[in-house]
Amino acid sequence: GSVRSSSGGSGSSKQLSRLYLRVHSEALEQAAKARNLNISVTQAIAQQFGLTARQDVLLRRVDEIARQQISIDRIEITFRDQFLGRPDMWRLKRQLNDATCYNGQLIERLGVRGVVREISSKNTKVSSGIITPLTKFIFRSRSSHIYILV
């Protein structure tokens, strides 16, 4: 499902951000029965997308046509203090296929720990989306140091 939110500050000119998250089937069943549905997200997600407690949001199921519109063309993931070889990158890309992600998200899969730094779709920076087999990955190491000797 998707959660559409606006920033909570008064006088804020921030545009609406769309947050795409995967919802488990049990939650969908509960949502179908409930009139008032409460959704919990982490504090980091709430801050990044300007969500406040008890704020009204619009939830919507994403069908295949909409899924193509929210697919990610390019994602940049940074990692630190670990070695990531080509086979590791390839496995991580396969593991993340069909996953939702957002800027600043911590990814911990297959022993790799990285942070999503930038996401783009149709040559535009976006805040979240769905990774597809066509998504291009950029892996950057934040462990490199440059020493200049004078």
Side-chain angles (χ1 to χ4, degrees):
S2 69
V3 177
R4 189 169 133 193
S5 69
S6 62
S7 73
S10 61
S12 174
S13 63
K14 186 177 178 183
Q15 292 184 352
L16 290 177
S17 298
R18 290 182 185 237
L19 171 61
Y20 299 99
L21 298 172
R22 183 161 314 278
V23 178
H24 299 287
S25 60
E26 304 89 43
L28 289 175
E29 290 171 11
Q30 289 176 345
K33 296 176 186 174
R35 287 183 41 180
N36 291 327
L37 177 66
N38 292 319
I39 299 172
S40 297
V41 295
T42 64
Q43 187 173 0
I45 292 174
Q47 286 176 346
Q48 181 174 350
F49 288 90
L51 297 171
T52 59
R54 305 201 191 310
Q55 176 182 347
D56 289 339
V57 295
L58 173 66
L59 290 179
R60 165 169 69 125
R61 181 175 283 205
V62 177
D63 60 13
E64 283 304 313
I65 295 170
R67 187 182 194 82
Q68 292 172 358
Q69 294 173 345
I70 63 171
S71 65
I72 297 170
D73 295 333
R74 189 175 68 85
I75 182 170
E76 182 176 313
I77 300 174
T78 60
F79 55 95
R80 145 179 265 145
D81 300 330
Q82 57 189 324
F83 175 75
L84 214 61
R86 285 182 188 234
D88 300 318
M89 292 178 201
W90 182 81
R91 281 192 286 275
L92 184 60
K93 285 168 60 171
R94 293 201 32 135
Q95 181 78 28
L96 291 174
N97 186 34
D98 201 37
T100 57
C101 68
Y102 58 90
N103 280 324
Q105 179 180 2
L106 178 63
I107 294 175
E108 294 183 85
R109 305 255 175 107
L110 303 171
V112 175
R113 192 176 165 153
V115 177
V116 176
R117 292 291 176 200
E118 189 174 306
I119 303 171
S120 65
S121 178
K122 298 168 190 58
N123 295 324
T124 305
K125 288 184 182 181
V126 294
S127 54
S128 67
I130 296 177
I131 298 172
T132 68
L134 300 175
T135 302
K136 304 281 189 248
F137 281 75
I138 299 171
F139 293 98
R140 298 202 189 275
S141 173
R142 311 247 328 149
S143 300
S144 302
H145 297 283
I146 299 175
Y147 295 99
I148 300 174
L149 301 174
V150 181

